[in-house]
Amino acid sequence: MTKTFTPARPIWCAGCGDFGVQQALENAMKNLGIEPHETVVVAGIGCSGSLQNNVRCYGYHALHGRVLPTVTGAKLANTDLTVIGVGGDGDGYAIGGGHLMHTLKRNPSVTYIVMNNGTYGLTKGQASPTSPNGYGENIEEDLDPILLGMSIPGSTFLARGYTGQPAQLLELTTAALEHAENGRGFAFLEVLSPCVTYNDTYREWRTDVYDVEQDPDYDASDKVAAFTRLMALRDQGRLPIGLLYRGERPALEEAALNHDFPPLALQDIDPSKLMDKYQQALESFMR
Amino acid sequence: MTKTFTPARPIWCAGCGDFGVQQALENAMKNLGIEPHETVVVAGIGCSGSLQNNVRCYGYHALHGRVLPTVTGAKLANTDLTVIGVGGDGDGYAIGGGHLMHTLKRNPSVTYIVMNNGTYGLTKGQASPTSPNGYGENIEEDLDPILLGMSIPGSTFLARGYTGQPAQLLELTTAALEHAENGRGFAFLEVLSPCVTYNDTYREWRTDVYDVEQDPDYDASDKVAAFTRLMALRDQGRLPIGLLYRGERPALEEAALNHDFPPLALQDIDPSKLMDKYQQALESFMR
Amino acid sequence: MSAENTQPDLEDLNVIVSGQGGDGSLTVVNLLASVLRQNGMSVYTERDVLSRIKGGITAATLRAFSGERFTIGNHIDLLVAFDIDAVPKNRRQLNKNSIVLYDNSGGSLPDGILGDEIRAFGAPLSRQAVKTFRRDIYKNSISFGLIGRILGLPDDTMRVSFESRFKRMGPQIMKYNLDALTVGLGLADELGFVAGKGLYRIQEIERKPHMLITGNEAMAFGFSVAGGRFYAGYPITPSTDVMDWLIKWSPKFGGVVRQAEDELSAINMAIGSALTGTRTMVATCGPGLSLMQEGIGQLGMGEIPLVIVDAQRGGPSTGMPTKPEQSDLNLLVFGGHGDFPRIVLAPGNPEDCFYLTVDACNLSQRYQCPVFIASDQALSQNTATIDPLDLERVVIDQGKRLDADDVSKLDTYKRYLFTEDGVSPYTIPGTPDGMSLVTGNEHDEFGLVSTDPVNRVRMVDKRQMKMKTMLPELPRAGRFGDLESKIGIIGIGMTFGVILEALDTLADRGIDAQYFQPRTLWPMLDETIEFINGCDVVYVVDLNAEGQLAGLFVREGADASRIRKLLHYDGTPIRSDAVVEFVVNDQTQALGAEEVA
Amino acid sequence: MSAENTQPDLEDLNVIVSGQGGDGSLTVVNLLASVLRQNGMSVYTERDVLSRIKGGITAATLRAFSGERFTIGNHIDLLVAFDIDAVPKNRRQLNKNSIVLYDNSGGSLPDGILGDEIRAFGAPLSRQAVKTFRRDIYKNSISFGLIGRILGLPDDTMRVSFESRFKRMGPQIMKYNLDALTVGLGLADELGFVAGKGLYRIQEIERKPHMLITGNEAMAFGFSVAGGRFYAGYPITPSTDVMDWLIKWSPKFGGVVRQAEDELSAINMAIGSALTGTRTMVATCGPGLSLMQEGIGQLGMGEIPLVIVDAQRGGPSTGMPTKPEQSDLNLLVFGGHGDFPRIVLAPGNPEDCFYLTVDACNLSQRYQCPVFIASDQALSQNTATIDPLDLERVVIDQGKRLDADDVSKLDTYKRYLFTEDGVSPYTIPGTPDGMSLVTGNEHDEFGLVSTDPVNRVRMVDKRQMKMKTMLPELPRAGRFGDLESKIGIIGIGMTFGVILEALDTLADRGIDAQYFQPRTLWPMLDETIEFINGCDVVYVVDLNAEGQLAGLFVREGADASRIRKLLHYDGTPIRSDAVVEFVVNDQTQALGAEEVA
Ligand SMILES: Cc1ncc(C[n+]2csc(CCOP(=O)(O)OP(=O)(O)O)c2C)c(N)n1
Ligand SMILES: Cc1ncc(C[n+]2csc(CCOP(=O)(O)OP(=O)(O)O)c2C)c(N)n1
Ligand code: SF4
Ligand code: SF4
Ligand SMILES: [Mg+2]
Ligand SMILES: [Mg+2]
């Protein structure tokens, strides 16, 4: 077997939640039999944005905040690939916030895992969009990206996990990957992944999380009901986890591509293959 | 009186909704007695982004999509000013989408009026984030920025008007300006403003709009109830107009500024004025 | 030529149609272009619009000629004005032989607007349109009757071309337009423009097959034939036509076009696609290019291939969205923070646009770096007649791509392998055992983050080395005129056609110059510096205020004392007379100086 | 000096403390710095960290000296290694007089890692810390006992400084740390480092008042004293400290700091603030600068004043976030599409940072354009000792600002009035009858959109004119060394201190050179080109791979044949021996060549 890069040892602080995210991802991939060489992990910039170095598959370290356009492009260009985006809350909700909104709207069949630690870990603890009012210099209310996702028509999979509950996290990660693998669209999984160095929320979150999967009344297929419940939980200071919404909508690649052709990346682009069509285009200029 | 620029004649196509938006804005300003020289209108890029040229006050033509950071900076720098952002749906929801989310979250006391025509007017009719699925090449569901606003903690004023209902539009514009003038935070007013050239929706919208102010059951002070109702109306193909949500949260400038000082722009910055404090800072380096 | 027929053959005709935005000037010009093409002429058209949808004086200009020209001429033979304001606005381009036809529905042309020599004719175009058809827009077809008669087009030819043009729009519209043409012919009669007595003798020449195409279309087409399959864009004038053409055609070739939410998204979608090995392109202009700077640096560091079209417009900032300029050159060459390799190509006409885009696709994958195509509003949007493109010339070269077989033969696969030529072999995702890490951080050969100083230097050198090894393969300059002359002219993009015409005029006026058209701007080729330093004087036609093109040359070793900068940045397309005048003045001064010495 | 005391006075000491990220190397260095400062020494500290929070070998280096130096020395006197890996990593900087102190808790230093001459001592720092205090981090304070003894610090001095340092942290922590110090002194006894028998004779010199400050802090402070009141930023190494300092201090001056959601937002918030007349600044580095390009062009076109700090780091793209480089120069000078005026200043030490930031604030409002401050990671983050800044020197000049009174005296107020110097008077919103339109589109004098070619040329020329009229006011170069010498050296930013030290060494080695420190990079000043063309040879210390600084000079008229580029881009801070070696080699070769000829 040809030797390629040896996955790196994680560079996270001992106790960082991101270890758990990586583990869940690797296990979910294994369980689903997703081939490493058919997988691309696209990571943002941040502590979280080093996960791709640690996993055996194709990896790409994107620009800060640009995970989502990148995975969208990669998926459209080669629908045979399993495309997974990972990154931090700063990466995904601050600088990348606009892309999140538009990717939810577009619904490409990719998985996106945000390691939400409510801080900018790598740049040493500034407030992120999910930092609570009062964290450091922060004077803004914390954003709930799942609520945001509920407000975007087109969103099809919204979930939240917690690294303190690894079994559920594995399930959610698996479900997210499956959603995307099955061409059902964009699987957005936020993981509460504490930063022990700058925002050690393990204790808080342990008591704050609220597992909707334990709640028989929670209906993850009804956006309005889910939104209502999530808002109520928020008011109670609870952090809902579990599969929070799943819906149906044609995936982007379904609607966008010409399915008479193989995936773009795999087409034989020798001009002779399509010479008649090129000729037709040429003639359109001759009229 | 010193002569300054003569407001331009609008360059919009005859029948463009933006005429109505301008009129409402000018009248609202007049009604509220807002002084032109204490007002800055910051406009985006697009057909809508020429409004500032037509109004007598300070005007700034921002970069495409950057109206909201600009007005935030202007307001923080001089809280004495009335700061009004205007722009299009492409400007505000596509390239500017991330800023919208964060400005709602921040809640600066500025007014933001989006002339939503469901298209990119100035660049000749491409789909915008609010274009319906099927408009031109569009294969995405249309975004509802008001719903988005509901999902953002910190939002305090969400309204939608329609140029086909000018009386209400004037009221809503007035209410938005008042919200900001009274330091209650960010007043977001989306106006359905048809583009007669590329997306002539006058007829459609006339029947689709649903005035919540006529609905005694509509509670604009309850986010969850409002969200629920708006989602239901959306399913019915209706376009809710009126004051859709109003809430309370400290405005950004309240929380961010040191109120022992006058507005930043009006401070006397001669170093002698604060020499003791500068000296103190200097000494902090001498320890 | 018989005595009674003093009409010359039509050899070079310049017509401008101007009015309020929305008046349909472009329609008239397009119609005229298609008629004249039927008659075997080459045509070149230009539009002058405003960054607004309706209103303001806009214009469309057509040049028809029997040879090959890629520019509008220095003066206008016929000005058609749908709005009286269009007359003074275009006066500068008229000369004593010019004819003005204007819509006098709103009144006659005030005295003194035109010199006495210029013949001006008023006709109630709009009034007739509204009266007869209840729609102002029919003034276009009405005007056409007058225009045809003035030029000498047989009435039948006009009718036939109307029929073929409006066929697709249904019988009703066809009828109205033919009727409008008849109204126009009637007005022509009234004004004494009799059939067969026009300005020119228009003969049916045999029509050679040719294409009428813009630079934007040619780039989009070239990209497609070169196997380009993913295009991400965000609308911006004057680049949007690239997207428009691809939206229409790319799916037929199996490709896809995505309109992103902004340029940051566009270039990062493009990066995602490029990572899969798919040939990918974006097109934009200044504001978008500025927003893409971070992505461009990422291409450099990550060694990711991408073709980036910049259809330059008046800057800085939002500037003048519809006006031609070449003031992004510095940004193209020096943009992005840090040092990284890049290629900047500069086509001069649509044919060049096509083939250079093909080259760009190949170079981007061979050298795994961003390849820019520096166009400008005029080159991108003006239509020109070119010989049919030779699709057989298109050869695909994806560089050092490894497939599964290749990989299986390796002991170790390293995405950023140190090699002598600086180019590392690459796999695409999906290739078994070809896993790699691609990153914008400094990295080791495997793509793992590294700040080791020794590795750092080797990696930087490896990337910079590509700029050297690519040199022999980069597109060479076009050379025109008297190749022995010590008087050189340099210009790129839209100035190509302008300088070629200037060469002819200069030759007529006794100055034999040569034109060097650099087709690779960066890395700077030796041939360019050698050309400059081998001339006595080189006129650099620089469509910007700062002399950006000349600045590049000097930085790279050109002798500044030989360079004269012709800076043009008023937002109008430069014409050949500006070049001629500049050269002649300078040469005369030089002569003068010599005589004194 | 008595016979029994062979200890030299402490004149120049370089100590590196290195370990795993999180080991607290910086704490030890800071403590040492404060002790040595108490003893009247000047200090300079540098940190070498990785772009990760914990782990990997990082280091902090301290230089203490009796004179003035703005760089770390060429070799290290004492290496303190908390991790054995830190020893080989720093070996290159050791020489035969160096001492190594390492933590042997995990085992002894393998043989052969160091040359025989170098004295290495192991002590169980971590083991002792965990044993005694149950927390590894106390190894810092333990090590300090050893370090102090090695250097010759009296035990009492150490204790006193511990007391003052830990006072604020409560009695418990103070006690633990003092105990740890005692443990360290015990270990020192075991190793034979006896009190009073250290390397140096450390005398209490009279302590002159001075500041210990980084470039980032100095820029933030300069901005504040110059009346800067609005700062918008987005965290990015190595610029974040600017924001951190301002978060702490600016509110006390009535100012505000906003952390934006990204750099696009940051620069546009800044624009919003600047439009109100508030003095405004942003700080970032490469990736952020790339993202700000569109905003920067807007400043140019709209004539909006803003100060932009670029703390350059290893590029391109994400590059090497914590490493110094100067490879954004091209982007600073040529970034943004289109032609527009800008100023690029280049400070060389924290004092320079302070005063040039004040200048930047004034220039930005006088000339209504972006003013960049080109810093680099080392200049921005290293701490240096400087004389107390003279706050009285700070003078505010807001340029042609009109208040209500001024406006009322005008017939007409035009925001973009054509003036001879290119600078138009401006009002701020709130001024009655001072209404204006500010725009990124080309515009007429009132700010109304215009594409009129005549207006266009005048507007471009007006803006470009500012680049001329500002010339006399731009900060002039620093000149050092033998001002008659025909051997020149040029460098900016962190190379300031390096070149100054190199000058001394070169002089010692018989080469008298002069150092020209350009403090204005753009527009290029005549003095710079004249300096280069007046020398026989000029060594340009260019911290990038492409020779960006040299390229600028050549473009602007410098004779390329006189320039030798010393390119340094391995991510390490350059040291003076690299400069010395480069110059000496080149001079020797030149001499050799002359001898042959
Ligand atoms: C354009 C740009 N701006 C800023 C940075 C600096 N930066 C690196 S990581 C980061 C934020 C990290 O926060 P988050 O995404 O939450 O990741 P975490 O470290 O918490 O996992 C920032 C601002 C950058 N790399 N690029
Ligand atoms: C960075 C950048 N990208 C693209 C453009 C081109 N552009 C101008 S206006 C516009 C969209 C206009 O749409 P919208 O905001 O809805 O305004 P409307 O014209 O419909 O009022 C675009 C894409 C630009 N000016 N700047
Ligand atoms: S700083 Fe926080 S987010 Fe980063 S590795 Fe450490 S614990 Fe994890
Ligand atoms: S194109 Fe549409 S949006 Fe623009 S001015 Fe005309 S009607 Fe209004
Ligand atoms: Mg985070
Ligand atoms: Mg719109």
Side-chain angles (χ1 to χ4, degrees), chain D residues 117-175:
Chain D
E117 308 140 322
I118 299 175
R119 288 162 293 167
F121 301 92
L125 305 171
S126 162
R127 185 144 33 91
Q128 281 290 350
V130 174
K131 200 173 104 187
T132 319
F133 306 99
R134 305 202 172 278
R135 288 203 51 200
D136 183 66
I137 202 66
Y138 283 98
K139 68 188 174 192
N140 292 326
S141 291
I142 297 177
S143 76
F144 202 78
L146 286 138
I147 294 168
R149 284 280 182 82
I150 292 173
L151 298 180
L153 290 174
D155 291 0
D156 267 3
T157 309
M158 291 192 249
R159 279 209 189 85
V160 170
S161 59
F162 262 55
E163 277 162 12
S164 84
R165 159 116 197 162
F166 294 105
K167 201 164 48 200
R168 280 164 300 170
M169 302 189 186
Q172 188 64 25
I173 294 199
M174 158 108 80
K175 181 180 174 312

Side-chain angles (χ1 to χ4, degrees), chain C residues 50-51 92 264 285-294 297-302 313-323 325 327-328 330-331 333-340 440-442 450-454 456-458 460-461 463-464 522 543-552 554-557 569-572, chain D residues 50-51 92 264 285-294 297-302 313-323 325 327-328 330-331 333-340 440-442 450-454 456-458 460-461 463-464 522 543-552 554-557 569-572:
Chain C
L50 295 168
S51 183
R92 281 191 312 168
L264 300 162
C285 68
L289 187 69
S290 281
L291 286 173
M292 290 183 182
Q293 289 303 308
E294 200 200 5
Q298 176 82 342
L299 298 168
M301 182 57 123
R313 67 189 210 185
S317 195
T318 313
M320 305 202 295
T322 58
K323 307 293 174 188
E325 197 165 278
S327 57
D328 301 352
N330 279 339
L331 186 61
V333 171
F334 297 121
H337 59 282
D339 303 294
F340 58 92
N441 280 69
E442 192 55 278
S450 164
T451 56
D452 176 63
V454 177
R456 164 69 174 177
V457 169
R458 289 189 72 185
V460 173
D461 291 349
R463 290 190 294 267
Q464 296 291 105
W522 200 260
L543 299 197
N544 56 72
E546 219 261 336
Q548 299 190 3
L549 194 52
L552 282 181
V554 172
R555 185 186 191 274
E556 296 305 304
Y569 49 90
D570 68 1
T572 66
Chain D
L50 294 169
S51 183
R92 281 190 314 167
L264 300 163
C285 69
L289 187 69
S290 281
L291 286 173
M292 290 184 182
Q293 289 304 307
E294 200 199 7
Q298 177 82 342
L299 299 168
M301 182 58 122
R313 68 187 208 185
S317 195
T318 313
M320 305 202 295
T322 58
K323 306 293 174 188
E325 196 165 279
S327 57
D328 301 352
N330 279 339
L331 186 62
V333 171
F334 297 120
H337 59 282
D339 303 294
F340 58 91
N441 281 67
E442 192 54 279
S450 165
T451 57
D452 175 64
V454 176
R456 163 68 173 178
V457 169
R458 289 190 71 185
V460 174
D461 291 348
R463 289 189 295 267
Q464 297 292 102
W522 199 261
L543 300 196
N544 56 72
E546 219 262 335
Q548 299 190 5
L549 194 52
L552 282 181
V554 172
R555 185 186 192 274
E556 296 306 303
Y569 49 91
D570 68 1
T572 66

Side-chain angles (χ1 to χ4, degrees), chain A residues 1-8 36-40 42 45 52-53 55-64 66 68-78 81 95 98-100 102-103 106 252 256-258 261-262 264-271 274-275 277-287, chain C residues 37 207 209-213 217 221 224-227 229-230 245 249 251-254 256 258-262 264-265 268-269 271-273 275-276 278-279 294-295 298 304 388-389 391-392 394 396 398 401 407-408 410-413 427-441 446 448-449:
Chain A
M1 213 181 79
T2 313
K3 178 178 177 307
T4 64
F5 72 98
T6 309
H37 76 271
E38 287 173 346
T39 305
V40 188
V42 175
I45 305 269
Q52 82 290 0
N53 294 319
V55 179
R56 212 182 131 256
C57 64
Y58 283 85
Y60 171 63
H61 200 182
L63 287 168
H64 188 38
R66 313 299 166 203
L68 290 177
T70 312
V71 292
T72 304
K75 184 71 188 180
L76 283 169
N78 189 349
L81 298 174
I95 188 166
H99 304 311
L100 176 61
H102 285 280
T103 308
R106 282 189 190 113
L252 174 67
L257 294 172
N258 179 347
F261 287 81
L264 315 188
L266 307 179
Q267 292 173 21
D268 181 350
I269 58 172
D270 190 279
L274 288 175
M275 197 44 92
K277 297 219 169 107
Y278 296 147
Q279 201 60 45
Q280 197 188 326
L282 190 152
E283 274 155 25
S284 75
F285 294 111
M286 297 180 64
R287 276 194 301 259
Chain C
R37 282 172 74 205
R207 195 189 166 213
H210 64 268
M211 302 168 70
L212 191 64
I213 188 169
E217 290 166 339
F221 186 29
S224 296
V225 180
R229 291 296 176 263
F230 188 95
W245 194 90
W249 285 97
K252 301 196 211 309
F253 313 138
V256 72
R258 290 317 300 153
Q259 181 183 315
E261 64 272 36
D262 60 19
L264 300 162
S265 178
N268 285 285
M269 280 189 187
I271 287 175
S273 164
L275 287 170
T276 70
T278 303
R279 290 196 156 187
E294 200 200 5
Q298 176 82 342
I304 303 164
L389 293 162
L391 304 184
E392 305 291 337
V394 176
I396 308 283
Q398 302 203 273
R401 173 122 135 203
V407 171
S408 70
L410 298 175
D411 274 350
T412 312
Y413 165 64
T427 59
I428 62 166
T431 312
D433 299 325
M435 270 90 75
S436 64
L437 293 169
V438 172
T439 171
N441 280 69
F446 285 112
L448 284 159
V449 174

Side-chain angles (χ1 to χ4, degrees), chain B residues 16-208:
Chain B
C16 176
D18 297 354
F19 285 100
V21 176
Q22 178 179 333
Q23 198 173 21
L25 179 62
E26 288 186 307
N27 287 338
M29 280 172 60
K30 213 176 294 161
N31 293 349
L32 294 173
I34 295 173
E35 291 282 353
H37 75 271
E38 287 173 347
T39 305
V40 187
V41 173
V42 174
I45 306 268
C47 292
S48 42
S50 63
L51 189 148
Q52 82 290 0
N53 293 321
N54 315 335
V55 179
R56 211 181 133 255
C57 64
Y58 283 85
Y60 171 62
H61 200 182
L63 287 168
H64 188 38
R66 313 299 165 202
V67 169
L68 290 177
T70 312
V71 292
T72 304
K75 183 71 189 182
L76 283 170
N78 189 348
T79 45
D80 281 1
L81 297 175
T82 297
V83 182
I84 302 165
V86 300
D89 44 334
D91 192 83
Y93 307 150
I95 188 166
H99 303 311
L100 176 60
M101 177 173 141
H102 285 282
T103 308
L104 286 160
K105 185 171 181 290
R106 283 189 190 113
N107 203 32
S109 294
V110 299
T111 303
Y112 181 42
I113 304 177
V114 173
M115 288 159 256
N116 178 7
N117 54 15
T119 190
Y120 285 17
L122 190 61
T123 50
K124 298 181 183 283
Q126 295 86 2
S128 88
T130 49
S131 298
N133 191 339
Y135 173 83
E137 302 300 313
N138 187 31
I139 53 174
E140 303 175 21
E141 291 307 322
D142 55 306
L143 184 86
D144 182 340
I146 302 286
L147 285 177
L148 182 106
M150 300 278 181
S151 78
I152 312 257
S155 59
T156 53
F157 184 104
L158 306 168
R160 185 183 281 121
Y162 170 43
T163 55
Q165 301 198 7
Q168 185 191 35
L169 180 59
L170 175 59
E171 270 171 40
L172 290 170
T173 309
T174 309
L177 285 174
E178 272 179 322
H179 187 81
E181 288 294 283
N182 296 339
R184 296 175 68 185
F186 183 54
F188 173 37
L189 171 61
E190 172 179 281
V191 183
L192 301 171
S193 174
C195 168
V196 292
T197 304
Y198 296 110
N199 190 25
D200 193 347
T201 46
Y202 267 115
R203 202 170 316 175
E204 252 167 273
W205 285 354
R206 191 161 305 141
T207 52
D208 290 352

Side-chain angles (χ1 to χ4, degrees), chain C residues 72 81 203 272 344 355 408 502 543:
Chain C
I72 296 296
Q203 287 168 308
V344 184
Y355 292 116
S408 70
L543 299 197

Side-chain angles (χ1 to χ4, degrees), chain D residues 17-50:
Chain D
V17 184
S18 185
Q20 292 276 333
D23 273 352
S25 305
L26 193 59
T27 317
V28 177
V29 156
N30 284 344
L31 204 52
L32 192 55
S34 75
V35 176
L36 293 169
R37 283 173 73 204
Q38 294 300 335
N39 279 286
M41 305 290 290
S42 296
V43 304
Y44 183 86
T45 75
E46 176 182 281
R47 34 184 166 161
D48 176 21
V49 301
L50 294 169

